[in-house]
Each structure stands twice: as C-alpha cells, then as structure tokens.
Amino acid sequence: MSEKNGALAPTGSACPKKATELFYVSHPKVERAMLGPFLSQADAECGREVLRSADAVVTVCFVDSLDELTYWHAVNNGQVCRAFAGPGSPGVSHG
C-alpha cells in the first residue's frame, strides 16, 4: 500500500493482464475441464501427463484479458504440474 492524496492506495497495476489464450486439460467423460488454467500449451501437456489418461486432451480458450487472480492461478498450475510430471515430460526444462 502507498499513500496517495492522503489515503492508502494499493500498489501495482489494477489493470488486467493481456492474454490471448488459456489452456486446460479435459477428458471426454467429464463435463468440465479437469485441470487449468495454464498459460502455455507445454504446461497443459504436463498436466495431461500428470493425469495419466490416454483420453485426456489439451484444449484452448481464447480470452481478451486476464485478471491478476487468474494469471497467478495459471502460473501456479504450471509450476505444480511441471513438478509432478518430472524430468522428460513436455515443457519441463532440464537444467
């Protein structure tokens, strides 16, 4: 928080982040996406790998903008799925 015009104001941008697509992991037997959102297809592929189901697929949803909560949720989902997918999985860097 910072002071602005004598009142406390939140720091940082309140503007939504620009994004063109979010990725999800879906399964034909489930009505809604099982995992997601993800910021990259590679992270979603890690999520698909974590599910260990041959029928799981990566889907994309196009968006105009991304609020801060959804952005950080997507960042966290990617990190968690990369950690569980392990080395050798799509999107997991070696180094």
Side-chain angles (χ1 to χ4, degrees), residues 9-84:
T11 57
S13 174
C15 297
K17 297 187 182 315
K18 294 289 181 187
T20 56
E21 53 198 14
L22 289 173
F23 297 90
Y24 295 86
V25 178
S26 302
H27 192 281
K29 293 184 179 180
V30 180
E31 216 172 281
R32 297 176 52 189
M34 296 179 70
L35 293 175
F38 296 98
L39 295 178
S40 72
Q41 185 173 0
D43 285 350
E45 289 292 342
C46 285
R48 190 180 64 77
E49 188 73 25
V50 167
L51 283 181
R52 290 176 169 69
S53 172
D55 295 331
V57 294
V58 172
T59 58
V60 64
C61 176
F62 294 96
V63 295
D64 292 328
S65 63
L66 195 57
D67 63 46
E68 191 112 0
L69 179 63
T70 304
Y71 173 81
W72 287 111
H73 189 150
V75 168
N76 186 56
N77 285 343
Q79 291 173 344
V80 169
C81 285
R82 283 192 306 273
F84 278 99

